[in-house]
Amino acid sequence: MACIWVSGGVMLWPGQVNWLAHSDLAQSYLGWAFYRHAPWTWPLGANPAYGAGLHSSIYYSDSIPLLAMLFKPLSAWLPEPFQYFGLWVLACFVLQAVFAWRLLGLAQARPLDKLLGTVFFVLAPPMLNRLGGHMALVGHWMILAALWLCLRPSRRRQSTWWAVLVATAMVVHAYLFAMVVAIWLADVVQRQRNMQQAEPLRPGGVLRRWLPEWVLVVSTTCAVAWLAGFFMVSGHGMQANGFGYYKMNLLAPFNGDGWSWFGLRFAEAPGEYEGFNYLGLGGMALVAMTLLTLAWRREPRRQRLIPTPLWIVAVLLAVLAVTCNVGFGSLQWHMPLPRRWWEKLSHLSLQSTGRMFWVTYYLILLAALLVLLQRWRGPVRTVLLLALVALQLMDLHAGLSSLRTTLLARARSTPVSLNGPFWNAAGERYRTLRQLPLALMSPGWETLAFYAQEHRMRTDAVQLARIDWPRFLSLYNHGKAALLGDRLDASTLYLLDDREVAVARLAVPASAAALFRLDGHNVLAPGWSSALPARATDLRLPSSAKSPFQLPFHDDLAAGGPGRLLLGEGWNSTNAGAVSSRGDTASVFVPVDGASGQQVRVELDLRSDGSHKSQARQLDVWIDGRQAGSCMLTSAMCRTLSLEVPLTRPGPHLRELVLRPARSGVRLHVELVGIRVAPAG
């Protein structure tokens, strides 16, 4: 009932995908849509068509790998389109209620009282807030299931159930996995304490007692993680950032931020939306009443239902959620940390730490309800719970109505698509759709990815939760070098940004590829010999705009300058900093024109401070497989390098200069400072 009330029921229909056409939701759906038609490989979660060349997997598109791998064998019998995210949401609501009911049963309350208490969990704002963008993260029931395993009276098959839950969380979402693991560790500590009190064990006995469970949980989790493609992105290459930005404000439990009908709202820093953990006015009243009950209705000491290790874990996760950048409303204070600590924290895979408060959130609600159910009796308890639930529903009405309106509007919207004679013909002819330069989450990527999926094309126009940065940079440089060197793949359709159009005019002859603008996209179609589409604008026609590569050419390679468009393989040039080499060789393309060769001046500077033991001392420049010049690298700057560049064809075009160390076995640690090209003589 709650699921249909909140969502309007539209997301439950497997064939309804319109509501999944935006940003993070599109990422999750498209990851599955590409995966269902991908060939079976090892690992099973590999998704080569979505993020072509990026070593992507179903895990890093946040497509709930557990369900994706379950439904993929049935893909031939499933309708097109098909989505399981609505069914997942329904299951999350049901399981949230099931485990909340079981947890509240620890107080041995009447069914009506447990039902009223369950409302606080089923309509928890932090869970409902994820319906707008992160389907996998709606699975808060896993946190409740972990709490139930930690608190349940029976410990039968505890190790097996923990292995199942931890492994399941791993193939749903990494953040849920981390929280479930934290609760499991608390349970291990508490069970060890109980055993020590009953019968002290020797150190060797402790190891023998817990080693089988650790082996079972870790091995099961690693196995399913590998199957889902988790290890296809290495921890070293994973580009995660946002620690201390995507955090929780200390006022988050009281900050309605648009959810409160009573207008509870506090200022917060930009990234603190990830730490949305509103208790609701009813939840706050529940906690306040619990504190008053503990102070005024003193009773004989009871057995503690929530063990100390679990509270310690909850406190530690709350501290992690806040981070060292402490926010109290609009006030922000940075807690100084040693540089070494900060560097390690800033590279954690789990950067949106504001989510880590969810364990604390549910533990606070659970503890408050258990105290209320234990200390109050009969009709008075039921009336109190009714009043608290009514206050909660009244306060959350604004947020629930807004969420329902948003979800219904998305379901009624029509996604922007690429249709027409050219796009249909290109979908049949080309097998891959690429952007140049490669860019993740570029504006309008959803339209391109939906088009590629419809025509069963591979594409790098995607959004991913994590990427392998070295692989991304290699693919970025390879695409640029293919354009600069006129080495385009005949089976690939390229979409260029506005700056790369000037490069395509100069580097790719008209006989090799059509270059035009259609439906807001700059299209480079290799081997396209048919007439241009009726609505297309020919980008090879003379333009009033001056070419950025006319001679004499000079550029200092500042970010946004034309010089960076001429960098081929072997550079790290995607940021605003210095252009530095990242391999054994690097290539630069220079514009040439006229009947004679051109004088080229390439300025080089050392990238390192001499700490690289295998650093090159002499640099050679090669053209067409022949050495054309060299210079000695010093601790300051390479001498200005001048060399003649022979022509290969008349008219303006580009020539490739390959830079490499004179001695093999060393790396090219240099920075490219500037490029100058002038007519010979």
Side-chain angles (χ1 to χ4, degrees), residues 13 113 115 190 266 355 399 556 576 586 646 648:
W13 298 104
D113 295 336
L115 179 64
Q190 181 59 31
F266 301 97
R355 304 169 181 174
D556 59 2
T648 57

Side-chain angles (χ1 to χ4, degrees), residues 638-652:
C638 180
R639 301 169 185 171
T640 300
L641 180 62
S642 301
L643 51 112
E644 296 285 337
V645 179
L647 296 175
T648 57
R649 67 173 187 254

Side-chain angles (χ1 to χ4, degrees), residues 309-320:
L310 189 54
W311 280 116
I312 293 174
V313 164
V315 170
L316 292 177
L317 290 177
V319 171
L320 179 60

